[in-house]
Amino acid sequence: MKKLILAVIILFIGVNSYSQEFDLGVKGGINFSNIYGLEPLNLEYKEGIVVGVFAGIKFSDRIGLQVDALYSEQGAKFTDSGKFELTYLNVPVVLKYYLVDDQPLYIQVGPQVGILLKDDLRTVIDNTRIKAVGNDTDISAVMGMGYDFPYGIRIEGRFNLGITNVTDYQLESGRHKYISLTIGYSFL
């Protein structure tokens, strides 16, 4: 992971001299998350916060790359009783495509790696207490849209779809699906 972060930093520094824009800032917002693949548990969407930093490069009028480091509360709510709470350090790397030259509306797509920081997975099924442990990493696909306002303000909406299971519990396993809505501020 340290090598990946170092490689991204070197990429940003090296490409910065050839790029039109370098971007650095903070963002925060809300997640609406659930777990798919565990339908028998009757899970519902759960709200959680997402906060972090981002860095980006705009290579041309239409193409850019952005890397985030985000503290993200995810999981799901049980309709009965129990907890399915997961907290991650998420690192998405998204390709940004601006829909019109020199205009602020863009779409984005890319992979995301999540490192589990905290988990609380427990419930009762058929009078049996169940406690599970979350997997250390989570891989997701990210797609979304955003808009860059004047004075460094931006809004983004992303849909994340899990590729890896969030837990290896013996009965069943599930994957993340969540929507993230954020507002950010770019310093540069």
Side-chain angles (χ1 to χ4, degrees), residues 164-181:
T164 58
N165 292 331
V166 296
T167 180
D168 285 333
Y169 183 71
Q170 64 217 18
L171 295 178
E172 299 185 48
S173 198
R175 298 180 174 128
H176 283 290
K177 64 177 177 181
Y178 66 96
I179 295 171
S180 216
L181 303 174

Side-chain angles (χ1 to χ4, degrees), residues 30-185:
I30 188 167
N31 287 333
F32 300 96
S33 65
N34 203 340
I35 307 296
Y36 71 96
L38 296 176
E39 283 72 19
L41 297 180
N42 295 320
L43 298 172
E44 297 177 346
Y45 278 88
K46 169 191 180 302
E47 301 82 24
I49 64 167
V50 57
V51 294
V53 296
F54 62 86
I57 297 173
K58 194 169 178 189
F59 297 111
S60 69
D61 288 341
R62 291 204 176 190
I63 303 291
L65 183 71
Q66 180 174 310
V67 177
D68 301 350
L70 304 169
Y71 171 88
S72 181
E73 295 177 347
Q74 297 165 212
K77 283 195 271 190
F78 283 94
T79 53
D80 300 327
S81 65
K83 290 191 173 193
F84 208 118
E85 298 177 1
L86 300 157
T87 304
Y88 289 93
L89 171 62
N90 285 331
V91 182
V93 179
V94 293
L95 179 67
K96 294 170 68 171
Y97 179 75
Y98 289 80
L99 299 174
V100 179
D101 285 345
D102 291 324
Q103 294 298 314
L105 180 65
Y106 56 88
I107 57 175
Q108 53 189 330
V109 64
Q112 173 178 283
V113 175
I115 299 165
L116 185 66
L117 301 175
K118 180 182 166 194
D119 64 347
D120 190 359
L121 312 172
R122 55 190 150 125
T123 191
V124 176
I125 300 176
D126 296 330
N127 294 324
T128 304
R129 288 181 171 218
I130 296 174
K131 177 149 175 58
V133 176
N135 288 334
D136 291 338
T137 58
D138 180 58
I139 308 294
S140 300
V142 178
M143 57 204 91
M145 293 187 75
Y147 191 89
D148 295 335
F149 289 96
Y151 307 108
I153 304 296
R154 70 174 50 177
I155 58 169
E156 290 183 341
R158 291 180 178 169
F159 176 71
N160 296 35
L161 188 62
I163 297 170
T164 58
N165 292 331
V166 296
T167 180
D168 285 333
Y169 183 71
Q170 64 217 18
L171 295 178
E172 299 185 48
S173 198
R175 298 180 174 128
H176 283 290
K177 64 177 177 181
Y178 66 96
I179 295 171
S180 216
L181 303 174
T182 60
I183 186 166
Y185 177 71

